[in-house]
Amino acid sequence: MPRARSRYAPDRGLTGRMVTTMFLIGLLYVVFVGVLLAALRGSWPIILIITGGMFIAQFWFSDRIAAYGMGAREVTPEQAPELHGTIDRICALADMPKPKVAIAESDVPNAFATGRSEKTALVCATTGLLRRLEPEELEGVLAHEMSHVAHRDVAVMTIASFLGVLAGIITRIALWGGFARSRPGNDPAGILLLLIPLISAVVYAISFLLTRLLSRYRELSADRAAALLTGRPSALASALTKVSGQMARIPTEDLRKAEPYNAFYFMPAFSAKESLGRLFSSHPTLEQRLDQLSRISTDLSR
């Protein structure tokens, strides 16, 4: 029998956005592959093998690759008793199975969750976060990350981000991998081949915007769910404020290493105040997050 739903507050808005994003991304994927097949008719078996293989690899292995890239190292209860104890309390509150627990050796104060499902989930905190936060603040942050697991939006974001990566790789293969051959100027296939870079750019831009819109909402949803589950929105607000303030003190080199994984993190890391990443951030602003938590705190106190 399927396991009962967790005690995290359901979010129909998040569910609707995930379904819509996956539908639009899937439609975009079909159109993109269709254009490739039309333009590279003689190479369709290779295209299908590459796109299919990459999709399977993205779904099954991307979470492990991301965790490895962010330096996550699984730890036992004996190695990290406080971290495991906090996760245990959240699992009891949420009525969820316990995920794998990991620590990343990084001074950047952050946390993240990966995994296709509750069975494969991993929740990780950096040493910088563990050193800076009080127990109730850490609980708020980890409850936020566990919300991503409960709502399954980590898996959706992983799949949704696939098409943008694929568009760039297929374009390079088409232009420099030997698929392109000299064709007569009036050959429709030759014209389609010339349009591939433009189509890929459009596909990447659309998929990027769709995933960013979903990502910003899912972060607000995770804040809300964590605050309601723990009953302490002020602790999560305190953690957000503290982590945001500490980011400015982190060496630029460390922040640059963390930036590629911002979509996974509890708080995005930017190497400069004027970073272009802030314009297309995967997270809502600190003010938006604190304002929502303030409203939840007011509602809970009534």
Side-chain angles (χ1 to χ4, degrees):
M1 294 180 63
R3 200 184 63 80
R5 185 178 299 177
S6 77
R7 294 195 185 109
Y8 272 105
D11 192 323
R12 293 183 180 179
L14 177 62
T15 301
R17 282 168 172 80
M18 288 194 295
V19 171
T20 301
T21 298
M22 290 302 295
F23 173 77
L24 293 175
I25 288 288
L27 183 62
L28 205 59
Y29 178 78
V30 171
V31 171
F32 180 60
V33 174
V35 170
L36 288 176
L37 291 175
L40 308 171
R41 287 173 296 183
S43 305
W44 67 266
I46 298 177
I47 293 173
L48 291 180
I49 291 172
I50 291 175
T51 55
M54 287 187 64
F55 183 84
I56 293 172
Q58 175 79 1
F59 183 76
W60 287 100
F61 302 114
S62 60
D63 55 340
R64 302 178 197 175
I65 294 171
Y68 177 80
M70 289 182 278
R73 175 179 57 85
E74 194 171 348
V75 291
T76 65
E78 292 73 26
Q79 293 171 318
E82 293 183 4
L83 180 58
H84 270 272
T86 303
I87 294 290
D88 286 336
R89 287 195 300 274
I90 296 169
C91 289
L93 280 173
D95 189 24
M96 287 176 61
K98 186 176 180 179
K100 290 178 284 187
V101 179
I103 291 178
E105 294 288 338
S106 172
D107 194 44
V108 179
N110 236 316
F112 61 88
T114 65
R116 303 183 311 276
S117 65
E118 291 181 354
K119 291 182 179 180
T120 61
L122 176 144
V123 174
C124 179
T126 65
T127 51
L129 186 80
L130 296 173
R131 187 168 59 252
R132 289 176 172 89
L133 295 190
E134 298 297 326
E136 63 274 10
E137 294 170 338
L138 179 62
E139 183 179 69
V141 172
L142 296 177
H144 168 106
E145 294 305 325
M146 289 285 289
S147 171
H148 288 315
V149 176
H151 290 154
R152 294 181 172 83
D153 54 76
V154 171
V156 172
M157 282 297 295
T158 298
I159 298 172
S161 64
F162 166 72
L163 186 56
V165 176
L166 179 66
I169 292 176
I170 291 295
T171 299
R172 286 194 288 272
I173 292 174
L175 294 180
W176 300 295
F179 290 162
R181 297 285 184 265
S182 58
R183 300 176 185 269
N186 59 352
D187 187 348
I191 296 174
L192 278 173
L193 189 60
L194 294 175
L195 289 176
I196 287 179
L198 176 60
I199 294 170
S200 296
V202 172
V203 166
Y204 177 81
I206 294 175
S207 62
F208 179 88
L209 291 174
L210 286 173
T211 53
R212 282 302 180 269
L213 290 173
L214 174 60
S215 181
R216 290 172 188 170
Y217 184 90
R218 84 183 187 111
E219 292 302 327
L220 287 173
S221 175
D223 283 348
R224 182 167 54 250
L228 293 173
L229 180 74
T230 62
R232 290 189 288 192
S234 60
L236 181 55
S238 176
L240 279 166
T241 303
K242 187 178 290 187
V243 170
S244 177
Q246 289 291 319
M247 285 294 182
R249 303 180 183 181
I250 302 299
T252 301
E253 183 179 351
D254 292 342
L255 292 176
R256 283 177 178 164
K257 290 179 181 178
E259 276 192 46
Y261 303 101
N262 274 344
F264 288 93
Y265 282 133
F266 166 71
M267 175 70 71
F270 294 109
S271 58
K273 289 184 179 180
E274 302 301 324
S275 172
L276 184 63
R278 290 185 183 274
L279 298 177
F280 303 102
S281 178
S282 55
H283 291 59
T285 65
L286 176 63
E287 290 74 20
Q288 288 174 311
R289 299 176 76 173
L290 293 179
D291 182 61
Q292 174 182 247
L293 291 172
S294 177
R295 293 195 304 270
I296 293 174
S297 181
T298 301
D299 291 341
L300 290 177
S301 64
R302 287 175 181 171

